[in-house]
């Protein structure tokens, strides 16, 4: 009888911990820990090499902030501090640095409603898109490593990138002890907070995490949002115009 009482007590303790976790919200900071150039750096001239070395430095200074609970999240690029006097070159370097991830400007995710809202810049105009969440077909592997002292597990997946119209591979490290199925940008769907993603042109890693019960999850105004279908058609039209320019 005593053993039965002990088991019941432990079950209540476990459920209580799970409830506490579910009430927890987190502020997570990520940075680009490894920008990756597409192509061979050695094929560039000296000026080109110096430009990309500076762009790498800019990329590593960028920070992204995720505020999240188990139900919803908001992700954005942290306000960028200017590096001295702004020049046309500084502006180009910053834009190049941001392209290493090609992350959306802002991303809001509602887990329970299977909804994602993001802001993406195309042709110097910001578009708000509302759609269902992305599917990654994650495969969890046996590999583990430490990230900020947390035990992280490896997963691999793929997703469709509508901007380049192709499937892309992604590698992720997630933390099972933090039951938040969210990560940077659009990445989600694993049984734990995603602490690192490796995509085609960058590795993005968690560098700071703080928990709170009072964080507010910012939302994105959807009054002028377009559908994913409309967004895809917009991209297709831009690609057609670009191809016409190249052909002519």
């Amino acid at each position: 009888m005593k053993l039965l009482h002990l088991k019941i007590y432990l079950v209540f303790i476990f459920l209580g911990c799970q409830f506490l976790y579910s009430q927890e919200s987190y502020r997570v900071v990520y940075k680009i820990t490894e920008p990756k150039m597409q192509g061979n750096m050695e094929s560039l001239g000296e000026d080109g090499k110096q430009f990309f070395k500076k762009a790498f430095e800019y990329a590593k200074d960028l920070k992204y902030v995720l505020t999240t609970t188990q139900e919803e999240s908001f992700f954005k690029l942290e306000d960028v501090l200017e590096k001295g006097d702004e020049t046309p070159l500084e502006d180009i370097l910053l834009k190049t640095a941001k392209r290493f991830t090609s992350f959306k400007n802002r991303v809001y995710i509602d887990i329970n409603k299977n909804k994602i809202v993001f802001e993406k810049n195309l042709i110097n105009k910001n578009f708000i898109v509302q759609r269902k969440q992305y599917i990654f077909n994650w495969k969890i592997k046996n590999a583990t490593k430490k990230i900020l002292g947390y035990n992280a597990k490896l997963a691999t997946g793929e997703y469709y990138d509508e901007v380049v119209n192709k499937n892309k591979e992604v590698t992720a490290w997630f933390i099972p002890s933090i039951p938040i199925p969210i990560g940077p940008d659009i990445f989600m769907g694993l049984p734990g907070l995603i602490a690192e993603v490796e995509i085609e042109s960058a590795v993005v890693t968690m560098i700071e995490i703080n928990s709170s019960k009072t964080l507010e999850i910012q939302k994105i105004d959807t009054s002028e949002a377009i559908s994913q279908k409309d967004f895809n058609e917009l991209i297709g039209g831009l690609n057609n115009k670009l191809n016409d320019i190249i052909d002519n």
Side-chain angles (χ1 to χ4, degrees), residues 60-120:
K60 289 182 177 180
D61 284 342
L62 298 178
K63 291 182 180 178
Y64 301 88
V65 179
L66 171 73
T67 50
T68 181
T69 66
Q70 281 188 318
E71 290 79 31
E72 58 179 350
S73 68
F74 180 77
F75 176 84
K76 70 169 187 173
L77 173 66
E78 192 172 59
D79 292 337
V80 179
L81 295 175
E82 294 181 1
K83 290 175 174 284
D85 296 330
E86 185 101 9
T87 66
L89 177 59
E90 300 277 348
D91 186 54
I92 293 170
L93 284 167
L94 181 57
K95 288 179 178 178
T96 303
K98 291 178 181 179
R99 289 195 184 103
F100 282 113
T101 64
S102 295
F103 283 169
K104 307 332 188 201
N105 299 354
R106 299 180 292 154
V107 181
Y108 170 77
I109 295 175
D110 187 320
I111 296 290
N112 295 331
K113 294 181 180 178
N114 187 23
K115 181 177 76 172
I116 179 169
V117 181
F118 64 80
E119 179 186 76
K120 182 71 176 177

Side-chain angles (χ1 to χ4, degrees), residues 3-248:
L3 181 59
L4 177 61
H5 287 166
L6 177 60
K7 288 182 177 179
I8 293 173
Y9 174 75
L10 291 175
V11 167
F12 274 107
I13 291 293
F14 173 77
L15 292 176
C17 290
Q18 291 296 101
F19 176 77
L20 288 175
Y21 262 126
S22 68
Q23 305 306 303
E24 207 83 59
S25 55
Y26 292 87
R27 182 181 186 274
V28 188
V29 180
Y30 298 87
K31 70 174 291 186
I32 300 173
T33 49
E34 184 186 341
K36 296 189 288 185
M37 180 181 168
Q38 302 302 297
N40 185 4
M41 176 82 82
E42 296 305 315
S43 64
L44 298 175
E46 193 57 36
D47 288 344
K49 290 178 183 177
Q50 291 303 316
F51 174 84
F52 275 101
K53 284 179 181 178
K54 287 182 180 179
F56 286 169
E57 292 174 8
Y58 270 67
K60 289 182 177 180
D61 284 342
L62 298 178
K63 291 182 180 178
Y64 301 88
V65 179
L66 171 73
T67 50
T68 181
T69 66
Q70 281 188 318
E71 290 79 31
E72 58 179 350
S73 68
F74 180 77
F75 176 84
K76 70 169 187 173
L77 173 66
E78 192 172 59
D79 292 337
V80 179
L81 295 175
E82 294 181 1
K83 290 175 174 284
D85 296 330
E86 185 101 9
T87 66
L89 177 59
E90 300 277 348
D91 186 54
I92 293 170
L93 284 167
L94 181 57
K95 288 179 178 178
T96 303
K98 291 178 181 179
R99 289 195 184 103
F100 282 113
T101 64
S102 295
F103 283 169
K104 307 332 188 201
N105 299 354
R106 299 180 292 154
V107 181
Y108 170 77
I109 295 175
D110 187 320
I111 296 290
N112 295 331
K113 294 181 180 178
N114 187 23
K115 181 177 76 172
I116 179 169
V117 181
F118 64 80
E119 179 186 76
K120 182 71 176 177
N121 185 278
L122 290 176
I123 54 173
N124 293 320
K125 182 179 178 181
N126 290 328
F127 293 89
I128 304 294
V129 181
Q130 180 172 308
R131 55 162 288 167
K132 291 183 177 180
Q133 295 155 13
Y134 287 79
I135 296 172
F136 295 95
N137 297 314
W138 293 112
K139 295 180 180 178
I140 297 175
K141 308 295 184 178
N142 293 325
T144 62
K145 71 175 181 178
K146 293 276 190 181
I147 298 179
L148 292 184
Y150 292 94
N151 290 320
K153 293 194 69 174
L154 175 66
T156 59
E158 66 174 22
Y159 64 104
Y160 174 70
D161 186 333
E162 63 277 353
V163 175
V164 295
N165 191 30
K166 71 175 184 178
N167 287 330
K168 286 187 174 182
E169 295 181 348
V170 56
T171 298
W173 294 87
F174 68 97
I175 302 172
S177 62
I178 303 179
I180 302 284
I182 304 289
D185 196 48
I186 60 170
F187 300 105
M188 59 176 295
L190 283 165
L193 177 71
I194 299 176
E196 181 176 286
V197 292
E198 180 176 356
I199 51 180
E200 192 173 39
S201 55
V203 178
V204 180
T205 308
M206 177 178 79
I207 61 168
E208 181 184 324
I209 180 170
N210 294 290
S211 62
S212 172
K213 288 183 168 58
T214 59
L215 283 177
E216 181 180 351
I217 307 299
Q218 186 177 340
K219 293 179 173 59
I220 298 176
D221 181 11
T222 58
S223 60
E224 297 185 3
I226 63 175
S227 68
Q228 183 67 59
K229 180 175 180 292
D230 290 339
F231 189 59
N232 291 349
E233 289 176 356
L234 175 66
I235 294 169
L238 292 174
N239 287 336
N240 289 336
K241 287 182 180 178
L242 180 60
N243 290 333
D244 289 342
I245 292 171
I246 294 172
D247 290 341
N248 295 328

